[in-house]
Amino acid sequence: MSDPASVNYWGSFVFSYRRLHAMTQEQLADKLNVSQQTVSRWEAGQQVPDPRSQATLRAVLGEADLASKKIWIERVRRASGVEALLDRSLSFLSISPGLAAGVDMTAEQLIGRPFSKFLPSSRPKKVEKAVEDGFFEGAFARLHYVAEINYGPHAFNVAADIWPVATSDAGILMHVVYTPVTGPQTPGLEGLRISEFLAEPNNFVGSMA
Amino acid sequence: MSEDSKWASFVRAHRLAQNLNQGEFAKSFGVSQQTVSRWESGGQIPDESIQDRLRGQLRGTALGSTAYWKHRVEHASGHEVLLDRSLIVLAASKKAVRLFRGERASIEGLAFPDVLPETDVPNAAAMGMTSIHQLRDIGFFDGLIRSIRLDMDWHVPSGSCACKTDVWPILTSEQVIIGHFSGLPAAIAADASGFKGIRVKQVDVRLNKDMPDE
């Protein structure tokens, strides 16, 4: 369904872009991996660019692709809560200020370093198993655990939600979100105790999986 | 259905869902257009690595879908709400539902402005965005906004607590933007039921302009 305003917008933008870069319709078509006729239809307002071409055009306009890895890194870095973003090697891509404060470290100390080095032991093993079982290939809809944590001067209970995030340019990333919860406080506990762990399979995939 | 025709219809559906012709699709897999044509006619099954990539793409698309985001927000441990561009609630976490409506209710399908309690925005002139309805006007659902942060006080039966709420634009694999609200009350005791009011102290709206890393 074409909204007249949006057809005009893409049409005039595509035309201006070509002029600015001294490109023929064939050259732009090649750059965007579409046919020259498609570019012609965009400019005439007969057709709105497909999502992939819109994405390329958006990049040219200077608007970030909101589904990109870069935006997810920024999102977690600015999050108000306690969050982390990890890649398939389980190294930190990004952490929120709340997480850094919670482990008494800075982002510089954590980014690029493996998850397991800085946080208490038993949790990474279950998460690592999920990675082996295909977390980054989309095998799971979420991982979840509840834990009691004693880390230096900090003692708290958290619910951890671990989400696969599908980026437009870097496959699946791991988004960890911690929510404080009420729970038991075991005197003398060192490290982390998980009281429940669940790995929910991804049933959102189509029948071909 | 035979193995051949299963892949044939799958490749075709997947290609059309991305709005690509056979040549464009072939290019993205590093094969010839004739190969794609054979896949789609059932004359040839894609080889293992192509099959893996196709499955991977489909999983990625599924995990970026509105349906998955609804599932994610429903199962979130904190206070989270998902809205569509008409400000209808697509999904809400358990804690959010309890806060807005109590234990056994649901707010899915309701207009979010109707679900919100009395909201006080004392410094309206300075804040720019003063009402949830303005989300659409500022282009939040059109990709013009990078992020919104709200500093507020939540008034619940047991008292008040400070709360930060992040509002994120999520670009789904259907190429639609939905709004993801994630509220972080300072006190755990805001496991509360019965929202009495909101006082907005600060609104930060960031535009979506591709900037160098800050």
Side-chain angles (χ1 to χ4, degrees), chain A residues 52 62 70 74 80 141 200, chain B residues 20 68 71 146 166 210 214:
Chain A
R52 201 168 39 88
K70 180 169 134 172
E74 188 188 287
S80 296
E200 185 191 327
Chain B
L20 299 172
Y68 175 70
H71 179 82
R146 182 75 64 90
D166 291 336
D210 214 344
E214 295 152 46

Side-chain angles (χ1 to χ4, degrees), chain A residues 33-34 50-52 58 61-66 70-72 74-75 77-81 137-138 141-142 144 159 161 163-166 172 175 179-182 200 202 204-206 208-209, chain B residues 6-7 10 19-20 24 27 55 58-60 62-64 67-69 71-72 75-78 95 143-146 149 164 166 168-171 175 177 180 184 188 206 208-211 214:
Chain A
N33 229 355
V34 298
D50 65 271
R52 201 168 39 88
R58 198 189 297 128
L61 272 177
E63 284 171 67
D65 173 0
L66 293 170
K70 180 169 134 172
I71 286 294
W72 269 96
E74 188 188 287
R75 172 180 164 151
R77 192 174 73 235
R78 293 179 153 268
S80 296
E137 283 71 50
R142 85 179 154 127
H144 172 82
D161 292 322
W163 307 105
V165 157
I172 290 171
H175 183 203
T179 305
V181 293
T182 50
E200 185 191 327
N202 175 10
F204 290 86
V205 70
M208 284 310 294
Chain B
K6 196 166 74 170
W7 277 107
F10 172 61
N19 201 10
L20 299 172
E24 294 159 343
K27 215 164 165 177
R55 276 193 209 96
L58 189 61
R59 283 203 173 108
L63 291 174
Y68 175 70
W69 270 95
H71 179 82
R72 174 177 161 153
H75 287 87
S77 297
K95 278 193 178 148
L144 301 189
I145 301 295
R146 182 75 64 90
R149 163 122 85 225
K164 289 194 197 304
D166 291 336
W168 303 107
I170 303 295
L171 179 60
Q175 297 295 304
I177 288 179
H180 180 210
L184 296 116
I188 296 173
R206 290 171 67 246
N208 183 19
K209 281 291 164 197
D210 214 344
M211 306 281 276
E214 295 152 46

Side-chain angles (χ1 to χ4, degrees), chain B residues 179-194:
Chain B
H180 180 210
F181 286 65
S182 184
L184 296 116
I188 296 173
D191 239 0
S193 179

Side-chain angles (χ1 to χ4, degrees), chain B residues 109-121:
Chain B
L110 299 182
F112 196 48
D114 296 342
V115 170
L116 287 173
E118 191 93 16
T119 301
D120 175 30
V121 189

Side-chain angles (χ1 to χ4, degrees), chain A residues 10-98:
Chain A
W10 284 111
S12 62
F13 172 73
V14 168
F15 181 69
S16 306
Y17 176 76
R18 268 206 315 111
R19 288 285 295 266
L20 181 71
H21 292 270
M23 294 173 96
T24 61
Q25 288 188 339
E26 286 82 0
Q27 288 170 326
L28 180 61
D30 208 53
K31 186 182 174 81
L32 294 170
N33 229 355
V34 298
S35 69
Q36 176 268 323
Q37 289 85 350
T38 300
V39 173
S40 172
R41 282 195 294 271
W42 293 344
E43 292 186 8
Q46 291 164 353
Q47 187 178 323
V48 177
D50 65 271
R52 201 168 39 88
S53 298
Q54 284 196 17
T56 308
L57 290 165
R58 198 189 297 128
V60 165
L61 272 177
E63 284 171 67
D65 173 0
L66 293 170
S68 63
K69 172 179 165 181
K70 180 169 134 172
I71 286 294
W72 269 96
I73 286 175
E74 188 188 287
R75 172 180 164 151
V76 169
R77 192 174 73 235
R78 293 179 153 268
S80 296
V82 183
E83 302 188 14
L85 191 70
L86 297 114
D87 63 18
R88 58 171 55 241
S89 66
L90 292 186
S91 302
F92 288 103
L93 286 169
S94 185
I95 59 170
S96 70

